[in-house]
Amino acid sequence: MTHQIRPASAPAQPAASRLAIADCDIHPARRSDAEFDPWLAPAWREHLQTYGARYRQGWQTGPAFPKAQPNASRRDAWPPDGGRPGSSLGFMQEQHLDPNRVALGILNPLGTGQGLQNVALSAALCHATNEWQIANWTSRDARLRASVVVPYEDAATSAAEIARRAGHPAFAQVLLLSRTAAPLGSRRYWPIYQAAAEAGLPVAIHAFGYGGNPISGAGWPSFYIEEMTSHAQTCQAGLVSLIVEGVLARLPRLRIVIVEGGFAWAPALGWRLDRAWRRLRSETPHLDRLPSEYIRSQVWFTTQPMEEPEPRAHLLDTIAWIGWDRLLFATDYPHWDYDDPAQAFPLPATASQLRGLFLDNARAVYGHA
Amino acid sequence: MPSCLAGAIDCDIHPAVPGIAALLPYLEEHWREQVVTRGVDDLASISYPANAPLTCRPDWRPERGKPGSDLDRVRREALDGFGSSLAIANCLYGVQLLFSEDLAAAFARAVNDWMAREWLDREPRLRASIVVPIQNTEMAVEEIERCAPDRRFVQVLLLVMGDRPLGKRQYWPIYAAAERHGLPIGIHAGSAYHNPPTPVGWPSYYTEDYVAQAQAFQTQLTSLVCEGVFTRFPALKVVLLESGFTWLPAHLWRLTKFWRGLRIEVPWVDRAPSDIVRENVRLTLQPVDAPPDRDTLLRILDHMQSDELLLFSTDYPHWQFDGDAALPEGLPESLVRRILIDNPRATYARLTEDAA
């Protein structure tokens, strides 16, 4: 080890003067795979033991590109009583939820089995993940809300899982990953959006996942930094598809939340879409207004990783173009690129803008009192 | 002719190969025979569907034949029409889509020779980009070496979506050759369609394909910077053609932030990506993906933090604007002069030479 590791920082002091916040991207982890056992049939446990999970990438364990930190996590986020970062509710409360005054925390479990080659296994694991979120998380901390994790490559099964969770107060949204096997607006996924709209749940699209396609239109890059950066391009492609294929037009009450994909790209994407659509609208008669208007009315963005221009004030223009009411604060706890709520937004803004960004926008999207 | 544009250097126009037959005289005998015997179709890419509105402005669309295939019309509409002093011809014939390296090399030679004889010899205001068989690096370098002595070739032309990201080391001999000859690398919108055009697969609509070009340019910039192309070739200029430019600031904010956190992985990237891009990368003006109001555009230009980045282009005959509104309204006069003339001359060393 050639890098000096700073001593793990003490838990931040409770900041009574700080605003209560919503954290719209928290990653709970399981201490070991056995935590899913209560909800997984013995045959699937046997299958996993024998053949492994098999994502649409080549490694038996670990991500496609080696990450920057073990488990892509903050070095101080490993629970003192063992287990992976994010696997101890007690330590999460002590390190993050309490000192940062998190009033509403949205759980986005990753690496659970979404997008597996075997869609039946994916369905079983997603179902177990949802039960696990209730049993281990939301029932133990009233500030937390779960995501309906769905095996999105099998839309019918996903829709059934959403319908099963509809009306359950623990669930705040449906969770998809951005790297799907086909563009998000493709008809194969429509039952998911229909079910989410009927359940009144927003659909969150979190960066990452393995869809099997190269992560750029020009093939596979070399580096993790390229993969990380390209999540913004993948989220743009997914959003373009949702709009142009007509998902948002057909389901005007459907709300989309882009999670950890960046947000500063949204205005330029909207302008490009509008220009292209004005020229080519004969191709998409199912769209009845400018593409950017669908973004403005049906899409929200979580803030982490916050773009950081120099000078930072440039970001104020960008936020004004997107709309202050469209941004949802998120930390990405416990990952290495965590945004600290005390430091992540050093910009002049009005009290109501800040209150919206840090809390009220999330409460509105998620129907949280 | 709008007087404000007089003397402009148009860095992206598209003379078109009228059809595969036009190249037969420029193909070696073996390949000519292959084309005829096997009935090879015209290499017309789906990047610009023949009759799609974007492919040709209505008043520039010929009654028959491909837009941009007639020299007299190009003279009248693209050159006289804007008062341009020079224009760079980027021929979008589908050479890069071929799967055979040999066939691609043969067609690249034919397109370049056709360009020199049929266009450059006949119109002194035209310059051109060298089409290369990107499928094989050695052959691409050979083609650069073959064409570079003709000083009317001012750039090497690539498409934004090929087989692999353009920063990959396999392509570096191309950049070495380009740098050696003072030729920028021009990367134009378009795909070889050897990969799906989006990171999540094939879209349904052409609209999505065209919008996706901007995301492809973003990933290519990431690749060129992160692989260290500009560290190894500091004098190399890369010009993004028909890329749009309003996405650039947000992309650089993100890339530079991740570079701060992840530079241990790419230690050869020794400066902030935003600084590297502002020094080595240029973008053509059209399409201007911005709302029509002047204030927003000025804010975007401010976010770009340099007045050296944009190069004038009409993207003729593609339909990006109407009438003579090639320049967005309300740009400061000093910036207009840079976009029209100074920036192109600073980017393309060969434009300041006496080509005669």
Side-chain angles (χ1 to χ4, degrees), chain A residues 222 224 272 279 283 310 317, chain B residues 206-207 227 260 303 319:
Chain A
S222 305
Y224 175 55
R272 183 170 177 86
R279 281 290 175 267
E283 189 191 29
E310 289 172 23
D317 295 326
Chain B
Y206 174 57
T207 307
E227 298 271 1
R260 287 199 201 100
H303 292 188
W319 189 10

Side-chain angles (χ1 to χ4, degrees), chain A residues 68 182-183 218 220 222 224-226 228-229 233 236 245 271-272 275 279 283 306 308-310 317, chain B residues 164-165 168 200 204 206-208 210-211 218 227 254 257 260 262 265 288-289 299 303 305 319-320:
Chain A
W220 292 97
S222 305
Y224 175 55
I225 183 176
E226 296 181 85
M228 283 292 282
T229 307
Q233 286 77 51
Q236 290 177 67
E245 307 261 353
W271 300 328
R272 183 170 177 86
R275 268 191 58 113
R279 281 290 175 267
E283 189 191 29
M306 183 91 73
E308 292 179 28
E310 289 172 23
D317 295 326
Chain B
R164 304 184 80 196
K168 286 274 187 183
V200 285
S204 303
Y206 174 57
T207 307
E208 296 174 81
Y210 193 72
V211 171
Q218 291 160 34
E227 298 271 1
R254 182 176 172 91
K257 173 166 177 160
R260 287 199 201 100
L262 298 170
E265 191 188 23
V288 182
D289 294 323
R299 294 307 306 141
H303 292 188
Q305 293 195 287
W319 189 10
Q320 304 291 10

Side-chain angles (χ1 to χ4, degrees), chain B residues 96-118:
Chain B
Q96 300 86 352
L97 280 69
L98 293 164
F99 291 100
S100 157
E101 298 170 9
D102 300 315
L103 193 56
F107 267 105
R109 288 192 294 272
V111 167
N112 292 327
D113 289 347
W114 166 85
M115 177 65 74
R117 298 290 83 76
E118 309 277 336

Side-chain angles (χ1 to χ4, degrees), chain A residues 310-311 314, chain B residues 244-250 252-253 274-275 277-278 281-285 297-311 335 339:
Chain A
E310 289 172 23
H314 285 167
Chain B
F245 62 87
T246 59
W247 51 262
L248 183 70
L252 292 180
W253 300 342
S274 49
D275 292 337
V277 167
R278 276 193 283 272
V281 177
R282 301 292 178 261
L283 305 92
T284 55
L285 181 68
L297 186 62
L298 291 179
R299 294 307 306 141
I300 296 163
L301 292 169
D302 186 33
H303 292 188
M304 293 177 75
Q305 293 195 287
S306 168
D307 51 11
E308 296 177 1
L309 296 180
L310 294 178
L311 312 180
L335 179 62
I339 292 173

Side-chain angles (χ1 to χ4, degrees), chain B residues 12-292:
Chain B
D12 190 32
I13 71 166
H14 301 297
V17 175
I20 201 163
L23 294 181
L24 290 178
Y26 299 96
L27 283 165
E28 293 103 348
E29 192 182 340
H30 169 75
W31 296 110
R32 188 160 59 234
E33 192 188 309
Q34 290 271 308
V35 167
V36 173
T37 306
R38 295 166 65 188
V40 177
D41 278 316
D42 194 26
L43 307 185
S45 162
I46 57 169
S47 284
Y48 297 94
N51 296 313
L54 193 136
T55 301
C56 185
R57 215 170 99 161
D59 55 325
W60 290 339
R61 192 176 280 283
E63 278 186 23
R64 66 173 59 85
K66 281 189 206 169
S69 62
D70 179 74
L71 175 60
D72 284 331
R73 283 194 78 135
V74 171
R75 278 188 182 123
R76 191 167 67 242
E77 294 166 344
L79 296 167
D80 303 341
F82 297 95
S84 300
S85 61
L86 291 169
I88 300 173
N90 294 316
C91 181
L92 299 178
Y93 204 55
V95 175
Q96 300 86 352
L97 280 69
L98 293 164
F99 291 100
S100 157
E101 298 170 9
D102 300 315
L103 193 56
F107 267 105
R109 288 192 294 272
V111 167
N112 292 327
D113 289 347
W114 166 85
M115 177 65 74
R117 298 290 83 76
E118 309 277 336
W119 296 82
L120 303 182
D121 283 355
R122 293 162 65 191
E123 174 48 63
R125 288 170 294 181
L126 285 178
R127 300 292 181 273
S129 297
I130 303 169
V131 173
V132 296
I134 189 69
Q135 294 88 333
N136 179 304
T137 296
E138 210 172 296
M139 291 172 168
V141 170
E142 268 175 41
E143 187 59 11
I144 294 170
E145 296 293 345
R146 194 182 73 86
C147 296
D150 182 342
R151 308 295 292 184
R152 301 170 303 179
F153 284 107
V154 300
Q155 170 172 256
V156 174
L157 183 66
L158 308 178
L159 292 185
V160 73
M161 288 187 248
D163 290 74
R164 304 184 80 196
L166 287 170
K168 286 274 187 183
R169 315 288 155 89
Q170 75 186 67
Y171 297 120
W172 286 22
I174 295 172
Y175 307 140
E179 190 188 46
R180 193 163 59 242
H181 289 290
L183 297 163
I185 296 287
I187 304 174
H188 198 280
S191 179
Y193 297 99
H194 295 180
N195 290 295
T198 89
V200 285
W202 295 89
S204 303
Y205 298 103
Y206 174 57
T207 307
E208 296 174 81
D209 182 304
Y210 193 72
V211 171
Q213 304 301 319
Q215 288 87 62
F217 278 104
Q218 291 160 34
T219 48
Q220 290 292 19
L221 261 195
T222 304
S223 172
L224 290 165
V225 168
C226 291
E227 298 271 1
V229 169
F230 300 113
T231 310
R232 176 68 182 76
F233 305 105
L236 186 70
K237 285 277 193 296
V238 165
V239 183
L240 309 185
L241 301 157
E242 202 182 330
S243 54
F245 62 87
T246 59
W247 51 262
L248 183 70
H251 182 63
L252 292 180
W253 300 342
R254 182 176 172 91
L255 179 57
T256 300
K257 173 166 177 160
F258 283 137
W259 169 77
R260 287 199 201 100
L262 298 170
R263 52 189 296 193
I264 58 164
E265 191 188 23
V266 288
W268 47 84
V269 184
D270 53 6
R271 289 175 299 148
S274 49
D275 292 337
I276 294 173
V277 167
R278 276 193 283 272
E279 190 162 320
N280 292 85
V281 177
R282 301 292 178 261
L283 305 92
T284 55
L285 181 68
Q286 292 291 345
V288 182
D289 294 323

